[in-house]
Amino acid sequence: MSAVPFAFLVHPRARVSDDLARVWSPLGRVPEGVADRAVRRLPLRPFTMARVRLPDVTPDPVGRVVLVPFGARHMLEAPHAARDRVGAAVDLAARRGAGIVGLGALTATVTSGGSTLAGRTDIGVTNGNAYTAAIVEDQLRALLAAQPDRARRVAVVGATGSVGTTLVRLLARDRAVEHLTLVARAGGRLGALAGEVCRRVPTTISTDLHDVRACDVVVLLTAAADAVLRSEHLAPGAVVLDATQPRNTSPDLLVERPDVTVVDGGVVSVPGLRLRGGDIGQPPGFTYGCFAETALLALSGHTGHFSLGVPTLDQVDHVRAIARRFASLGFRAAPPTTFGRPLAVPAADPHPTVLATTSPATRASSPHTPREPATTAGSPAVVGGPGGASTSATGVEAVDGVTGGALVAAGAAR
């Protein structure tokens, strides 16, 4: 089956003026308040901000990046308006001949993981979350393998979102961890997911982000416009795999907690990949899982919808098989970075180490003895068998949602 053209949707992040500069550098000098108001209030139309090229496949563009002119906070505060703008961007992609469109970052959130676009017959839609979950799982396994003597207690924050649910099911399928702590704000869905996986992996559920302090590794899969994970939430020596966009960790975390490692999640290596026009915040040859899923489906000639809502494990296996088919182009988890800077990798170990980084913060050695999950009143509920689950009554601090996983760029309509 021959390849089909694709489109991928992005939008401005929390600081609109910074992303405007990714399309045209002088726009970065626009005061942030002015840029934010303009994007929020003006009826700006979506537009193609970059062409996607894979020279190893064809000299012609294989896809396009379409900008939805609505910021991250605008998306979350006005989801109905955001959904209309996403729809207009999908219309543009279809008019330009795309066979499939991928939903980046919060364009997936406001369309319920693409489910509100399921009725479209003129173009296929994918939220990119099947391959995002696969890449995050690969990264998590590498982090755990890098320190085999460390306890394998893993928290998934945003566990009931599209990527979160899929990742939890992947980890439970192969019993890849010793203990799961699932954090989200949706208590009912949280209990249902825990009840599904607890027969394979002991599982704790909570609506309080502070409860991830019982864990060695925290996977962050929330949908929010700003950083939600803070230093007081983390155990000594914790590792954070942040697969959110806009990202929900701040570089300040490494200054406050030099014992903590933050790893950029969901990043994919495709060495020949090039964008002509604006950029999506990654250097040439790197992209995000949701973008990579869209490209893989297009290269394979896929028609119709793919990942809508929560991907199935069969879909994860299918897109992984496509990635193996195109392995000569890359399509594998990128070398680990923290806020875009490389993490040190020992010469004798192909997996990243979490003991040293090239980040501005200097890591300090800090042994971590994980504490047992509490089971007293007001603490997270532990799910260990078929008896069901309940959630804690502590304050809701995790943000449950669906994230497309792409670092977004911004620009003005043209």
Side-chain angles (χ1 to χ4, degrees), residues 200-215:
R200 302 187 67 84
V201 178
T203 303
T204 297
I205 59 175
S206 178
T207 57
D208 188 344
L209 196 53
H210 289 87
D211 289 322
V212 306
R213 193 171 173 83
C215 300

Side-chain angles (χ1 to χ4, degrees), residues 35-59:
D36 184 88
R37 286 192 297 273
V39 170
R40 181 188 295 266
R41 297 177 183 177
L42 295 179
L44 303 177
R45 295 190 299 271
F47 69 95
T48 298
M49 57 161 283
R51 298 299 198 281
V52 184
R53 294 182 180 274
L54 278 170
D56 294 339
V57 176
T58 174

Side-chain angles (χ1 to χ4, degrees), residues 1-4 54 57 62 295-301 325-326 329 331:
M1 190 177 294
S2 59
V4 298
L54 278 170
V57 176
V62 296
L296 284 168
L297 293 171
L299 290 171
S300 72
R325 175 180 163 190
F326 291 99
L329 301 176
F331 289 105

Side-chain angles (χ1 to χ4, degrees), residues 114-121 125 305 308:
S115 296
T116 63
L117 300 167
R120 305 247 353 191
T121 58
V125 178
H305 303 318
L308 297 179

Side-chain angles (χ1 to χ4, degrees), residues 179-254:
H179 188 280
L180 279 169
T181 295
L182 310 183
V183 181
R185 66 181 179 185
R189 286 187 292 161
L190 192 60
L193 179 61
E196 175 186 333
V197 302
C198 66
R199 292 173 178 83
R200 302 187 67 84
V201 178
T203 303
T204 297
I205 59 175
S206 178
T207 57
D208 188 344
L209 196 53
H210 289 87
D211 289 322
V212 306
R213 193 171 173 83
C215 300
D216 305 275
V217 181
V218 178
V219 183
L220 197 56
L221 295 168
T222 56
D226 300 294
V228 298
L229 191 69
R230 301 188 298 274
S231 60
E232 64 266 27
H233 296 136
L234 297 169
V239 178
V240 178
L241 183 57
D242 185 355
T244 62
Q245 290 300 334
R247 69 180 305 148
N248 295 163
T249 53
S250 166
D252 293 341
L253 179 61
L254 298 181

Side-chain angles (χ1 to χ4, degrees), residues 257-272:
R257 291 288 303 274
D259 62 302
V260 167
T261 297
V262 177
V263 181
D264 303 330
V267 185
V268 180
S269 174
V270 189

